[in-house]
Amino acid sequence: MSLAQATVDAGAATRLHRHLCSEEIYHVVSGAGTMERGVERFAIKAGDTIRIPAGVAHRVEASVSAALVILCCCVPPYRHDDTQVL
C-alpha cells in the first residue's frame, strides 16, 4: 500500500483519471467539495472516507471557499504507469 496527502486548491479540480490495478481510498482531512466516481457525483467534507475500486474513473473538486486536503491510500502501491488520465 502507499499513502500520500494531496491538496486541491479552492475552486480547483483534479483531472479525471483511473488506476487500472490499484484500489484507492480517499480520506478527507479538511475542506469540502465534490467527488465524481464513475457515474456518481456527490458532496464530500472533512471526515468522509471514499472507496474507489480499480478501473473506476474519478476526480475531486474543491469548494470555492477553501482548499480540499485528502489522504490517498492505494493498494497495491501507487505507480505512475497504472494511472490513465481520461
Side-chain angles (χ1 to χ4, degrees):
M1 92 173 7
S2 62
L3 181 66
Q5 181 173 302
T7 300
V8 181
D9 293 334
T14 60
R15 294 173 71 183
L16 184 66
H17 65 286
R18 66 180 166 203
H19 307 284
L20 300 177
C21 297
S22 289
E23 174 179 24
E24 208 168 12
I25 296 173
Y26 282 5
H27 179 74
V28 182
V29 176
S30 64
T34 304
M35 174 84 189
E36 184 177 330
R37 178 181 63 184
V39 297
E40 300 174 280
R41 188 170 171 88
F42 51 93
I44 58 174
K45 64 185 182 323
D48 288 348
T49 301
I50 304 104
R51 177 180 173 260
I52 306 156
V56 174
H58 58 283
R59 71 184 201 114
V60 293
E61 183 175 354
S63 70
V64 295
S65 58
L68 181 63
V69 179
I70 56 176
L71 293 176
C72 308
C73 178
C74 291
V75 178
Y78 177 83
R79 288 187 354 250
H80 185 67
D81 63 351
D82 182 46
T83 303
Q84 280 187 331
V85 176
L86 303 170

